[in-house]
Amino acid sequence: MAEITLIEAITQALAYEMRVDENVVVLGEDIGTNGGVFRATLGLLQQFGPERVMDTPLAESMIAGAAIGMASQGLKPVAEFQFVGFIYPALDQLFSHAARMRNRTRGRLTCPMVARAPYGGGIHAPEHHSESPEALFSHIPGFKVVIPSSPARAYGLLLAAIRDPDPVIYLEPSRIYRLVKQEVPDDGHALPLGKCFVSREGHDVTLVSWGASLHETNKAANMLAKENIHAEVIDVATISPLDIDTILASVAKTGRCVVVHEAARNVGVGAEIAAQIMEKGILTLLAPVQRVTGYDITMPYPKMEHLYLPTEERIIDAVYTALEYK
Amino acid sequence: MAEITLIEAITQALAYEMRVDENVVVLGEDIGTNGGVFRATLGLLQQFGPERVMDTPLAESMIAGAAIGMASQGLKPVAEFQFVGFIYPALDQLFSHAARMRNRTRGRLTCPMVARAPYGGGIHAPEHHSESPEALFSHIPGFKVVIPSSPARAYGLLLAAIRDPDPVIYLEPSRIYRLVKQEVPDDGHALPLGKCFVSREGHDVTLVSWGASLHETNKAANMLAKENIHAEVIDVATISPLDIDTILASVAKTGRCVVVHEAARNVGVGAEIAAQIMEKGILTLLAPVQRVTGYDITMPYPKMEHLYLPTEERIIDAVYTALEYK
Amino acid sequence: METTFPVVANFEVTYHQYLGENGELIRPLPAFATPDVLQFLYKEMVLVRTFDTKAINLQRTGKMGTYPSILGQEAISVAMGNAMQKEDVLIPYYRDQGAQFQRGTAMEDIFRYWGGDERGSNFRHSREDFPICVPIATQYLHATGIAKAFQYRKQPRVAVTAIGDGGTSKGDFYEALNLAGAWNLPVVFVVNNNQWAISVPRSIQTGTQTIAQKAFAGGFPGLQVDGNDVIAVRQVMSDALERARNGHGPTLIEAVSYRLGDHTTADDASRYRSKEELHAAWEKEPILRLRKYLIAQGLWDDQREERLLADCQAQVAQAVEAYEQTPKANIDDIFDYTYETLTEPLKEQKAYAKRFKEKAHHG
Amino acid sequence: METTFPVVANFEVTYHQYLGENGELIRPLPAFATPDVLQFLYKEMVLVRTFDTKAINLQRTGKMGTYPSILGQEAISVAMGNAMQKEDVLIPYYRDQGAQFQRGTAMEDIFRYWGGDERGSNFRHSREDFPICVPIATQYLHATGIAKAFQYRKQPRVAVTAIGDGGTSKGDFYEALNLAGAWNLPVVFVVNNNQWAISVPRSIQTGTQTIAQKAFAGGFPGLQVDGNDVIAVRQVMSDALERARNGHGPTLIEAVSYRLGDHTTADDASRYRSKEELHAAWEKEPILRLRKYLIAQGLWDDQREERLLADCQAQVAQAVEAYEQTPKANIDDIFDYTYETLTEPLKEQKAYAKRFKEKAHHG
Ligand SMILES: Cc1ncc(C[n+]2csc(CCOP(=O)(O)OP(=O)(O)O)c2C)c(N)n1
Ligand SMILES: Cc1ncc(C[n+]2csc(CCOP(=O)(O)OP(=O)(O)O)c2C)c(N)n1
Ligand SMILES: [Mg+2]
Ligand SMILES: [Mg+2]
């Protein structure tokens, strides 16, 4: 079996689900002939035609609002937002309607849509092309928020997202779109939403991350291993609802935890994870949970973005802070 | 001096600043002849005329976008969003531009605007009229987020917000618009942004809250006092940037902390406060920080909203959990 | 050499009316307007007004929350719902009671909604219709998505949506027009131009001569209709529905009317508009107008009116009864519909909430 | 009885052009178009193209990031900036290099911006002009706010803003038109209709005949101009500016042109559009057209062309030099402009960041 990249895994999942379920349609800007600016929808127009692969006018509120309408009719729209920095005009539709339709109508109308978007920095892209707003969606009840970290997870989680009966925000770390290749059988097997994955076992410290940052986190774990420090690495994968149990089980073992994310620190997802570990696992904690995050500044333009993104060095520094505690 | 309500204090602050600074203009839906649906701008049209008190067409992105343009020209627009549940269409303008203009232009253009909105639940209003999205704004670098809890603080903080050289999100707890009256001298004295206020001193537990919830928090403190439990109560007032030092100083004294807010729990501001207390004050903590919050559901319609809002009982329950720890 | 510049596109807005302000016929009746149908439309308008009066009353007596009266707009709403086929979908705004009743939505559900109960949107009939939409103009986009689903499935169905004059200032309104035009969608866009958006008059809302002309931004026809003339609204609706159903795309209908009541029960319109204006508007109101016509034609009289009013009262009273008998909601209700399956965090929160259920203070 | 429905409003779009596709005059020259001015406009267009070519080259050689070429739209951009007064304010989109240069914005700043450096938006001249706007259509609303500030202060200034054809699908575009119409604001709205929004052709973007007609949704004039005819664009711009400056409100100008390059250096337009279409578009391009006219009038020749190209190369080379000499940014730069005064959390974060400065791996 050929190895594929994360973005190819996304295309593979979209094509799979479109083949087996004719209610699945995709829509967005430049997703047709062009196959998306990152080529996530490459070939879909040819395979499924313009009625299912819809190049839309340039309007994100419209994309979300139309998807909500389609979903209410039993379609399963997968809407692409060209970059997650351009999803903000759609927040009203997403927050006010997608997230609430089931609750508002007590289950009569639902919104089984997926909002996909390239996400995160480190690709030397112009301003607004490198944002990490997962905290915003995680705070809004009604969404599931999913961020894959590898081709296999991208495939399995996207299938799960499309099949989920509720709206899923699916954020794709563009920095690792083509970073690694994996064999990903096109067997239609979904991965569970709402579950963390233990990516690496260890007993000295728990490193928690997701998306592209998981790669620096893994690198840090490798470097630490050379110092005989054995980190357990957790890929959160579903940011909301959070699978705190898997994290707590790890922290119960290690007693120390570092959470790593690209997004700004203040009221970020790292805070939630830290707060829950304290609430439910304080007795197992040997040091305060450390956060290695983006700063509370707008993501810098490419020339300076490397100063913003969490690095192995910062992660290792935080691990030592945790280990040296008391 | 006559005593005034929180909303009258807001009107008083607006009028004061419009008198002393002709760059201050107000705009929004129904703020002219009607004086705003809650009457926050009552009388301003008569005093300052339609060029400074602008009834706008019904469009929130427009209100924000136009305010950004005005602010770049040195005006100090104070934009009213009729309810904070209707600010979502403006999030793109606010996140992408208001919060970034100074940084984007390295200080050449700035955005000294205020976005005011009635906020929070408990007024038996229809859906979308009872939201608490302070976490969203707090996560976005570039904003200050302010929530007053009394007439005096509403006055002083609004003056500070208008005078601030950067964009301020000013959320007004509508539940307490007319709950208490206070003497508020119309002397133009601003209160500092970025500082918590210690509302009540105590040594057994620190209660941290803001806005309308501060009232249940204070009531809980009163009830606890009868049980000889002396709570220190902190009014956060500026939700971002957070004055963690005042909170830490209190927790250093009490060893226990309960954070109370109406907004949904997941990735809420309570998580940030809890995480920071752990990071910087874990050695003084005798129990994990407790959070008493809204649930991770859409704010229920009026019939059931009382089941959602934090109550004295829930706060006291959390205090006992903290006190009984270990 | 030429000195003028060629015209490359031009557009016009027509105004549609059959009944004059005094109920006199100013154009030949359209085919649908048989005596039966006209009497039916009349009755339905009176029913809506009876409901409306009761709803305001329920609010005033503390039995319901804030409520937006439809007073003055009955013709638009009734004609709109009446012209639709059952299999069409209504995507209403919050002042579409008449259309909702035509669609089979229960009065008690509307009471429940404004009584602060989500169950009011779990319609037993018209189950594909959208619930009341509070965030202004968002519903216009939902309508385009629904219309797209019809188009995709090659179903001869139409999405019908409505909005107020104020709502036409919002981005979602225009984005919907643009998409509907670009995709030639089976959708009918209705604007209830009742002259006011809360306290903001139409003249401040937009600088256009008509609202109908905003359709030209989407590339399809826009027209004005006398919104107090139920015959005219019913006719332009049917035309637009037929156009849409036959694959000829969207239409924007600006129904010119007047909000005779306050914006909602939380509003006091005397703060911002004159008695004179209001009195003048009452002269044109839709129910009286049709009654005058029917009476002149010998199709209506006082006896029938009396019977009708009694009938309407009885129907509404029954709905009030059903509303008041609604079983109490419980904690499960507020937790169980955020997701299809309760998540782990919500299981925990629900259990916690149940601990406090009995003690709640507020409300 | 009448049987037709009266027209209550009508509208038309005119098309403006002076130079035919082969550089021949098809209407008498407007007054501004003296030989000097025409030569000046020509030179400025060539300068923009020289800059553009260099910018693409910088990107290709790894010296700059993604860049959106203005190839084909030089006439629109130069005419727009040229028609403005110094005290007016430009609120550009990302393909307005020509207008920016007319306004005094330094070429090296544009290089810096696309080189990934915020300092590129700290213009030394044109300090009130807005920076490049990436979130499509948002700038149209900024323009209305700026225009409102002028109106409030009774300053005879105009806000000029631009957008692409794709951008006209967005809510902010229409909300801006509506506000400008409602408030009669001194603003000129320019649409660069270059036929493509990345890979999406104009025909998919909107169902309208023209983009100009979208102005009717705002209640003010909209017109089409040949965007490859710098004389026509300059003239309609002046007219619109004068209208606005004299308190007569906004104008929407649809400048019909063609994007001769890829969308940006990250795009490959051959994936989605035909060579034939591109070749046909080259036949109409603005620089060649004006050159033909100038040569026919004896106002231009090969010698002047050669000198001009050398001049432009030198100017651009100087800007590249300045760009390359830009001092390195540092940690303070990324922290110090989020607020006027560094907040406590940011002080802490900045100190922390400085600890790691030397070790950074990425980039
Ligand atoms: C996005 C949004 N902004 C503001 C409001 C508050 N609001 C409710 S109704 C209304 C006026 C609507 O006027 P119009 O569209 O003319 O409809 P009408 O009420 O007159 O029928 C406003 C401002 C809202 N519901 N949604
Ligand atoms: C809100 C938003 N959505 C998407 C994008 C990504 N994007 C950048 S340019 C572009 C196409 C714009 O086309 P058009 O408006 O015609 O301008 P042109 O590039 O052709 O000059 C898109 C989709 C964006 N910058 N902003
Ligand atoms: Mg209205
Ligand atoms: Mg274009």
Side-chain angles (χ1 to χ4, degrees):
Chain A
M1 198 186 330
E3 295 195 321
I4 60 175
T5 61
L6 196 154
I7 189 141
E8 287 163 346
I10 286 167
T11 315
Q12 182 171 302
L14 289 170
Y16 184 93
E17 207 57 14
M18 291 184 81
R19 277 196 307 273
V20 301
D21 182 354
E22 66 176 18
N23 289 316
V24 179
V25 297
V26 301
L27 69 161
E29 297 157 10
D30 303 291
I31 65 154
T33 315
N34 203 33
V37 293
F38 282 106
R39 313 285 175 252
T41 54
L42 197 69
L44 298 183
L45 177 67
Q46 290 71 17
Q47 284 173 72
F48 302 104
E51 280 297 307
R52 295 182 69 189
V53 181
M54 299 172 241
D55 263 333
T56 64
L58 202 174
E60 286 76 11
S61 187
M62 186 212 78
I63 292 172
I68 291 163
M70 292 177 195
S72 76
Q73 281 292 313
L75 293 182
K76 304 202 120 228
V78 182
E80 173 171 311
F81 294 86
Q82 198 157 82
F83 285 87
V84 80
F86 305 134
I87 208 171
Y88 303 142
L91 292 184
D92 183 38
Q93 286 286 354
L94 294 171
F95 291 0
S96 299
H97 295 296
R100 301 180 193 209
M101 198 53 83
R102 175 187 295 279
N103 184 61
R104 171 180 295 146
T105 61
R106 289 300 186 244
R108 180 171 64 85
L109 296 174
T110 61
C111 192
M113 69 176 277
V114 178
R116 293 179 41 240
Y119 146 97
I123 56 165
H124 302 291
E127 65 170 326
H128 300 284
H129 292 71
S130 303
E131 319 251 311
S132 302
E134 67 268 33
L136 307 182
F137 294 104
S138 300
H139 184 59
I140 303 291
F143 291 126
K144 291 175 181 154
V145 182
V146 175
I147 304 179
S149 65
S150 71
R153 290 200 184 131
Y155 179 78
L157 292 169
L158 183 52
L159 287 178
I162 301 174
R163 293 172 193 169
D164 196 88
D166 290 303
V168 178
I169 309 294
Y170 185 90
L171 304 175
E172 304 167 3
S174 48
R175 179 150 62 90
I176 59 169
Y177 263 157
R178 298 185 170 86
L179 188 69
V180 275
K181 290 194 166 201
Q182 264 180 339
E183 287 193 356
V184 183
D186 192 10
D187 56 8
H189 275 126
L191 287 168
L193 299 186
K195 290 281 165 226
C196 296
F197 299 95
V198 178
S199 277
R200 174 192 187 114
E201 305 214 342
H203 48 263
D204 293 323
V205 61
T206 302
L207 306 182
V208 177
S209 191
W210 53 89
S213 288
L214 200 73
H215 289 258
E216 284 73 50
T217 304
N218 277 323
K219 279 195 220 158
N222 283 335
M223 291 161 75
L224 287 164
K226 292 187 191 134
E227 313 288 320
N228 217 15
I229 297 165
H230 300 286
E232 182 139 313
V233 177
I234 293 179
D235 175 6
V236 176
T238 301
I239 313 304
S240 180
L242 189 67
D243 168 18
I244 194 68
D245 291 342
T246 300
I247 297 172
L248 287 173
S250 177
V251 175
K253 195 164 66 172
T254 63
R256 306 176 197 269
C257 182
V258 176
V259 186
V260 183
H261 64 65
E262 253 183 65
R265 182 183 192 84
N266 197 39
V267 198
V269 174
E272 180 64 35
I273 294 174
Q276 286 200 38
I277 293 174
M278 169 167 54
E279 282 159 12
K280 299 180 169 174
I282 199 170
L283 296 181
T284 68
L285 268 185
L286 301 170
V289 177
Q290 304 294 311
R291 288 185 281 166
V292 179
T293 68
Y295 303 116
D296 291 321
I297 58 176
T298 300
M299 176 69 173
Y301 293 6
K303 277 251 162 76
M304 302 291 271
E305 67 177 346
H306 62 287
L307 293 174
Y308 174 93
L309 295 170
T311 54
E312 297 89 278
E313 286 75 10
R314 286 172 56 192
I315 298 168
I316 291 171
D317 179 75
V319 168
Y320 278 110
T321 305
L323 288 172
E324 287 158 12
Y325 208 79
K326 277 181 204 176
Chain B
M1 196 188 328
E3 294 193 322
I4 61 174
T5 61
L6 195 156
I7 189 142
E8 287 163 347
I10 285 166
T11 316
Q12 182 171 300
L14 289 171
Y16 184 94
E17 207 57 15
M18 291 184 82
R19 279 196 305 275
V20 302
D21 182 354
E22 65 175 18
N23 288 318
V24 179
V25 296
V26 299
L27 70 160
E29 298 158 10
D30 302 290
I31 66 154
T33 315
N34 202 34
V37 293
F38 282 107
R39 313 286 175 250
T41 54
L42 198 68
L44 298 183
L45 178 66
Q46 291 71 19
Q47 285 172 71
F48 302 104
E51 280 297 308
R52 293 183 69 191
V53 181
M54 300 172 238
D55 263 334
T56 64
L58 201 175
E60 286 76 12
S61 187
M62 186 212 79
I63 292 172
I68 290 163
M70 292 177 194
S72 76
Q73 281 291 315
L75 293 182
K76 304 201 120 228
V78 182
E80 174 172 310
F81 294 85
Q82 199 158 81
F83 285 87
V84 79
F86 305 133
I87 208 171
Y88 303 142
L91 292 184
D92 183 38
Q93 285 285 353
L94 294 171
F95 291 0
S96 300
H97 295 296
R100 303 182 191 205
M101 198 53 84
R102 176 188 295 280
N103 185 60
R104 171 180 295 145
T105 61
R106 289 299 186 246
R108 180 170 65 84
L109 296 175
T110 61
C111 191
M113 70 175 277
V114 178
R116 292 179 42 240
Y119 147 95
I123 56 167
H124 302 291
E127 65 169 327
H128 300 284
H129 292 71
S130 302
E131 320 249 315
S132 302
E134 67 269 33
L136 307 182
F137 294 105
S138 300
H139 184 58
I140 304 291
F143 291 126
K144 291 176 182 155
V145 181
V146 175
I147 304 178
S149 65
S150 71
R153 286 195 189 137
Y155 179 79
L157 291 170
L158 183 51
L159 287 178
I162 302 174
R163 292 172 194 169
D164 196 88
D166 289 303
V168 178
I169 310 294
Y170 185 91
L171 303 176
E172 304 168 2
S174 48
R175 179 151 62 90
I176 59 169
Y177 262 157
R178 297 184 170 87
L179 189 70
V180 277
K181 291 192 164 202
Q182 266 181 336
E183 287 194 352
V184 183
D186 193 11
D187 56 8
H189 274 127
L191 286 168
L193 299 186
K195 289 280 165 230
C196 295
F197 299 96
V198 178
S199 276
R200 174 193 187 112
E201 305 214 342
H203 47 263
D204 294 324
V205 62
T206 302
L207 305 182
V208 177
S209 192
W210 52 89
S213 288
L214 201 72
H215 289 257
E216 284 72 50
T217 304
N218 276 323
K219 278 194 221 158
N222 283 334
M223 291 162 76
L224 288 165
K226 292 189 191 132
E227 313 288 319
N228 217 16
I229 297 166
H230 299 286
E232 180 139 313
V233 177
I234 293 180
D235 175 7
V236 176
T238 301
I239 313 305
S240 180
L242 188 67
D243 168 19
I244 195 67
D245 290 343
T246 300
I247 296 173
L248 287 173
S250 178
V251 175
K253 195 163 65 169
T254 63
R256 305 176 198 269
C257 182
V258 176
V259 186
V260 183
H261 63 64
E262 255 182 62
R265 182 186 193 81
N266 197 40
V267 198
V269 175
E272 180 64 35
I273 294 174
Q276 286 200 36
I277 293 174
M278 169 167 55
E279 281 159 12
K280 299 179 169 173
I282 200 170
L283 296 181
T284 69
L285 267 184
L286 301 171
V289 177
Q290 303 294 310
R291 288 186 280 167
V292 178
T293 67
Y295 303 117
D296 292 320
I297 58 176
T298 299
M299 176 70 172
Y301 293 7
K303 277 251 160 78
M304 302 291 272
E305 67 179 346
H306 61 287
L307 292 174
Y308 173 94
L309 295 170
T311 56
E312 299 89 281
E313 287 75 11
R314 287 172 57 192
I315 298 168
I316 290 171
D317 179 76
V319 168
Y320 278 109
T321 304
L323 288 173
E324 286 158 13
Y325 208 80
K326 276 182 205 178
Chain C
M1 273 192 282
E2 298 175 55
T3 53
T4 59
F5 299 101
V7 172
V8 289
N10 56 26
F11 310 91
E12 54 183 45
V13 174
T14 50
Y15 183 79
H16 295 247
Q17 193 186 16
Y18 292 89
L19 279 186
E21 289 184 15
N22 293 310
E24 76 286 10
L25 208 58
I26 59 171
R27 275 192 190 76
L29 274 186
F32 84 84
T34 60
D36 277 6
V37 170
L38 293 183
Q39 284 166 334
F40 179 79
L41 292 173
Y42 179 73
K43 289 178 189 170
E44 294 297 304
M45 290 198 291
V46 172
L47 180 62
V48 175
R49 191 166 291 180
T50 311
F51 169 89
D52 196 66
T53 310
K54 187 67 193 180
I56 294 171
N57 188 263
L58 287 175
Q59 190 280 332
R60 298 276 185 246
T61 54
K63 291 181 183 143
M64 209 179 69
T66 304
Y67 169 80
S69 166
I70 192 177
L71 192 66
Q73 294 167 235
E74 296 88 349
I76 304 170
S77 197
V78 167
M80 199 174 113
N82 187 259
M84 292 171 70
Q85 302 289 325
K86 194 174 181 322
E87 66 271 19
D88 296 337
V89 167
L90 176 69
I91 304 95
Y93 88 128
Y94 46 81
R95 223 186 284 282
D96 272 328
Q97 295 89 325
Q100 291 182 305
F101 299 160
Q102 294 298 300
R103 304 278 307 153
T105 299
M107 288 183 184
E108 57 263 34
D109 278 339
I110 309 296
F111 287 144
R112 286 187 188 112
Y113 180 86
W114 296 110
D117 186 338
E118 286 84 347
R119 290 171 301 173
S121 294
N122 190 2
F123 309 153
R124 271 156 313 151
H125 307 292
S126 59
R127 288 190 63 81
E128 293 178 47
D129 281 4
F130 262 46
I132 285 164
C133 188
V134 169
I136 305 276
T138 52
Q139 73 276 15
Y140 258 48
L141 283 171
H142 306 156
T144 63
I146 292 166
K148 181 70 209 178
F150 298 159
Q151 193 181 59
Y152 170 58
R153 291 182 172 142
K154 303 195 170 35
Q155 298 168 334
R157 304 167 70 187
V158 181
V160 175
T161 187
I163 200 170
D165 45 316
T168 68
S169 294
K170 274 197 70 83
D172 279 7
F173 168 81
Y174 297 100
E175 291 189 2
L177 299 193
N178 188 60
L179 183 66
W183 286 3
N184 196 41
L185 294 175
V187 56
V188 177
F189 295 115
V190 177
V191 177
N192 283 256
N193 176 2
N194 65 8
Q195 311 304 331
W196 292 88
I198 309 185
S199 72
V200 177
R202 157 71 181 76
S203 58
I204 287 186
Q205 198 61 241
T206 182
T208 59
Q209 277 174 269
T210 68
I211 287 174
Q213 75 199 57
K214 292 177 190 272
F216 308 145
F220 54 84
L223 57 86
Q224 266 191 344
V225 63
D226 182 339
N228 295 330
D229 175 359
V230 72
I231 302 175
V233 182
R234 178 68 174 68
Q235 182 59 36
V236 297
M237 275 300 305
S238 300
D239 292 347
L241 280 159
E242 194 182 313
R243 247 176 70 80
R245 210 179 304 283
N246 292 332
H248 300 129
T251 308
L252 180 71
I253 296 174
E254 175 190 0
V256 182
S257 180
Y258 195 86
R259 196 193 77 209
L260 292 171
D262 294 331
H263 170 68
T264 65
T265 51
D267 177 52
D268 172 7
S270 73
R271 296 175 58 86
Y272 52 78
R273 68 181 186 189
S274 73
K275 275 193 198 137
E276 293 68 39
E277 183 183 309
L278 184 61
H279 286 157
W282 269 106
E283 297 297 307
K284 306 185 186 174
E285 71 99 351
I287 295 185
L288 181 63
R289 188 183 302 190
L290 184 57
R291 183 161 60 232
K292 282 185 184 163
Y293 175 74
L294 293 176
I295 289 173
Q297 304 297 310
L299 295 170
W300 202 251
D301 55 35
D302 285 358
Q303 263 182 321
R304 291 196 240 201
E305 180 77 10
E306 221 167 279
R307 233 176 20 237
L308 172 63
L309 290 179
D311 253 31
C312 291
Q313 298 285 3
Q315 265 195 69
V316 171
Q318 211 172 3
V320 172
E321 174 88 8
Y323 166 58
E324 288 182 337
Q325 310 258 305
T326 310
K328 272 196 93 169
N330 59 36
I331 294 257
D332 296 307
D333 284 304
I334 69 171
F335 280 99
D336 289 0
Y337 299 95
T338 299
Y339 302 94
E340 190 192 55
T341 313
L342 210 60
T343 60
E344 291 303 317
L346 283 181
K347 276 185 205 161
E348 213 174 285
Q349 292 179 20
K350 181 168 148 183
Y352 165 89
K354 284 192 169 179
R355 280 216 281 129
F356 293 95
K357 202 178 135 181
E358 303 312 319
K359 306 189 201 159
H361 258 195
H362 301 277
Chain D
M1 276 192 281
E2 299 175 54
T3 52
T4 58
F5 299 101
V7 171
V8 290
N10 55 25
F11 309 92
E12 54 182 45
V13 174
T14 50
Y15 183 79
H16 296 247
Q17 192 186 15
Y18 292 88
L19 279 187
E21 290 184 17
N22 292 310
E24 78 283 14
L25 209 58
I26 60 171
R27 275 192 189 75
L29 273 186
F32 84 84
T34 60
D36 276 5
V37 170
L38 293 183
Q39 284 166 334
F40 180 79
L41 292 174
Y42 180 74
K43 288 179 189 168
E44 293 298 304
M45 291 198 290
V46 172
L47 180 62
V48 174
R49 191 165 290 181
T50 311
F51 169 89
D52 196 66
T53 309
K54 187 67 193 180
I56 294 172
N57 186 263
L58 286 176
Q59 190 281 331
R60 299 274 185 247
T61 53
K63 291 182 183 145
M64 208 178 71
T66 303
Y67 169 79
S69 166
I70 192 176
L71 192 66
Q73 294 166 233
E74 296 88 350
I76 304 171
S77 196
V78 166
M80 200 174 111
N82 186 260
M84 292 172 69
Q85 302 288 323
K86 193 173 183 322
E87 65 272 20
D88 297 335
V89 167
L90 175 69
I91 305 95
Y93 88 128
Y94 46 81
R95 223 185 285 281
D96 272 328
Q97 294 89 325
Q100 290 181 306
F101 299 160
Q102 294 297 301
R103 304 279 306 154
T105 300
M107 287 182 187
E108 57 263 35
D109 278 340
I110 308 297
F111 287 144
R112 284 187 188 114
Y113 179 85
W114 296 110
D117 186 338
E118 287 85 346
R119 291 173 299 175
S121 294
N122 190 3
F123 309 153
R124 270 155 315 153
H125 308 293
S126 59
R127 289 192 60 83
E128 294 179 49
D129 282 3
F130 263 44
I132 285 164
C133 188
V134 169
I136 304 276
T138 52
Q139 73 277 13
Y140 258 47
L141 282 170
H142 306 155
T144 64
I146 291 166
K148 180 70 210 178
F150 297 160
Q151 193 182 59
Y152 170 59
R153 290 181 172 143
K154 303 195 169 39
Q155 297 167 335
R157 303 167 71 187
V158 182
V160 175
T161 187
I163 199 170
D165 45 318
T168 68
S169 294
K170 274 197 70 84
D172 279 7
F173 168 81
Y174 297 101
E175 291 189 3
L177 299 193
N178 188 61
L179 183 66
W183 286 3
N184 195 39
L185 294 174
V187 56
V188 177
F189 295 115
V190 177
V191 177
N192 283 255
N193 176 2
N194 65 7
Q195 312 303 333
W196 292 89
I198 309 186
S199 72
V200 177
R202 156 72 180 76
S203 58
I204 286 188
Q205 199 60 242
T206 182
T208 60
Q209 278 173 270
T210 66
I211 287 175
Q213 75 200 57
K214 292 176 189 273
F216 307 146
F220 53 85
L223 58 84
Q224 266 191 343
V225 63
D226 183 338
N228 295 329
D229 174 359
V230 72
I231 300 175
V233 183
R234 177 66 173 71
Q235 181 59 35
V236 296
M237 275 300 305
S238 299
D239 291 348
L241 281 159
E242 194 182 312
R243 247 176 70 79
R245 209 179 305 282
N246 293 332
H248 300 128
T251 307
L252 179 71
I253 295 173
E254 175 190 359
V256 181
S257 179
Y258 195 87
R259 196 194 78 208
L260 293 171
D262 294 329
H263 170 68
T264 64
T265 50
D267 177 52
D268 171 8
S270 72
R271 296 175 56 85
Y272 52 77
R273 68 180 185 189
S274 71
K275 274 193 198 138
E276 293 68 38
E277 183 183 309
L278 185 62
H279 285 158
W282 270 106
E283 297 297 307
K284 306 183 185 176
E285 71 99 352
I287 295 185
L288 181 63
R289 190 183 303 190
L290 184 57
R291 182 160 64 232
K292 282 184 184 163
Y293 175 76
L294 292 177
I295 289 173
Q297 303 298 310
L299 294 171
W300 201 252
D301 54 35
D302 284 358
Q303 261 183 325
R304 293 197 238 197
E305 181 76 11
E306 219 167 283
R307 232 175 23 236
L308 172 63
L309 289 179
D311 251 30
C312 291
Q313 298 286 4
Q315 263 193 70
V316 171
Q318 210 171 5
V320 172
E321 173 90 9
Y323 167 59
E324 289 181 336
Q325 310 257 304
T326 309
K328 271 196 95 167
N330 58 37
I331 294 260
D332 296 307
D333 284 303
I334 71 169
F335 280 98
D336 289 0
Y337 299 94
T338 299
Y339 302 95
E340 188 191 56
T341 313
L342 210 58
T343 61
E344 290 304 316
L346 283 181
K347 275 185 205 160
E348 213 174 284
Q349 292 179 21
K350 180 168 148 181
Y352 165 89
K354 285 193 169 176
R355 280 215 282 129
F356 293 95
K357 202 178 134 179
E358 304 311 321
K359 305 190 201 155
H361 258 194
H362 301 276

